[in-house]
Amino acid sequence: MQTPRGRRRAAGPAATPRAVDVAPAGDSARPRDIHRDARRRRGPFRQITEFASASGIGQKAGVALAATGLVLTVAVPATGPVLATGTTGTGSVAASSVTPQPEISAEAGAQIDFSRSAVVTQADPDGKLKQLLSAQSAGSVSRAASAGTLGAPLASMATASPFGYRVSPITGGMGDFHRGQDYVAQCGTSVMAAATGTVTFVGWHQYGGGNRVVVDHGNGLETTYNHLSSFNVTEGQTVSRGDVIALSGTTGASTGCHLHFEVQVNGEVVDPTGWL
């Protein structure tokens, strides 16, 4: 073999030509993709939904939309072995996490009123007192049970002198026992019955009460109203709670216009505040 410098070199054996693999004609000898034809028939949208199902994106999006209150009703191919109904994933699951609500509509100018009617509870203090006294005598009723069973004898209740021992407003002496509760009241103020009962006395009280009214409520319970200027009831009359039975004054052992109110249990005076 002639070289550029004129030398010869022995030629080696001829190279064997490399065989070229020639694919046989036709597709009979190629490995066949059994899903190729199915993929060709599916459109782009179907391929996207299958990809979303396989990766879990579709299910995550459905959960996110359901959490925000939206209803997702997209059917995606089943991916779990239990839900699958065919070899090519033909089964589907309808995802709906919120029950549709009825549609409510109104006129554009409609006015909606959210106000509620007032709820009023009416107590029955006379019924409570009657039940209390029918079960036991007034002397055995506890203070906790008697509280609030009698009504106020005046529209405005302001204490002028409490029940119990005090300095006498008449003599100024110590140790004067006050048998009731004095309330501020101008002369001529309406005095009301503290509860339903029968009037047992109307007249002059010789021991300092002046003009006096006594109402018997039964089972040993009585109320008295003293220093009155006039009467509106007579003996034997039945009165109801809140009825005006007299007008306040300053008769008897009194230093000014007021109401002296007493509560008696079996003939003995008790603190009126335990019943009011």
Side-chain angles (χ1 to χ4, degrees):
M1 180 173 194
Q2 186 70 29
T3 63
R5 295 187 180 184
R7 297 180 182 178
R8 293 187 177 214
R9 187 173 55 182
T16 304
R18 188 173 58 179
V20 179
D21 294 334
V22 179
D27 295 336
S28 58
R30 266 177 98 179
R32 183 173 182 78
D33 185 358
I34 59 174
H35 301 292
R36 182 182 61 180
D37 295 337
R39 285 198 302 272
R40 289 176 178 176
R41 289 193 294 268
R42 291 194 295 268
F45 179 76
R46 179 68 179 275
Q47 295 179 18
I48 292 173
T49 57
E50 288 186 358
F51 171 76
S53 174
S55 61
I57 297 176
Q59 295 178 358
K60 294 177 182 179
V63 172
L65 292 175
T68 58
L70 300 178
V71 181
L72 181 65
T73 57
V74 178
V76 296
T79 58
V82 177
L83 298 179
T85 58
T87 57
T88 59
T90 56
S92 62
V93 178
S96 178
S97 61
V98 180
T99 303
Q101 298 296 322
E103 185 176 335
I104 300 175
S105 60
E107 296 285 339
Q111 295 183 355
I112 302 176
D113 185 12
F114 293 97
S115 62
R116 295 179 294 178
S117 58
V119 178
V120 179
T121 302
Q122 294 182 349
D124 183 15
D126 277 323
K128 177 183 176 181
L129 179 61
K130 183 178 179 180
Q131 183 179 11
L132 185 66
L133 295 178
S134 62
Q136 52 190 325
S137 65
S140 60
V141 176
S142 65
R143 185 181 180 93
S146 64
T149 55
L150 293 179
L154 296 171
S156 177
M157 301 282 283
T159 300
S161 182
F163 172 84
Y165 288 97
R166 63 174 183 173
V167 176
S168 173
I170 304 297
T171 65
M174 300 290 293
D176 176 56
F177 183 74
H178 191 211
R179 294 173 55 87
Q181 189 97 348
D182 286 350
Y183 294 102
V184 176
Q186 297 294 327
C187 288
T189 302
S190 296
V191 177
M192 298 172 289
T196 298
T198 302
V199 178
T200 57
F201 179 82
V202 176
W204 184 262
H205 184 246
Q206 59 182 343
Y207 299 108
N211 290 329
R212 176 185 178 98
V213 171
V214 179
V215 179
D216 184 6
H217 306 288
N219 283 43
L221 179 64
E222 294 178 310
T223 54
T224 74
Y225 312 81
N226 303 268
H227 308 306
L228 306 173
S229 60
S230 61
F231 309 114
N232 287 12
V233 293
T234 58
E235 290 185 13
Q237 180 178 341
T238 299
V239 294
S240 299
R241 181 185 299 254
D243 287 350
V244 177
I245 59 176
L247 299 179
S248 62
T250 184
T251 58
S254 172
T255 58
C257 294
H258 70 285
L259 173 66
H260 175 86
F261 177 68
E262 294 180 5
V263 175
Q264 297 185 6
V265 175
N266 297 328
E268 299 293 332
V269 293
V270 297
D271 189 352
T273 59
W275 290 82
L276 294 173

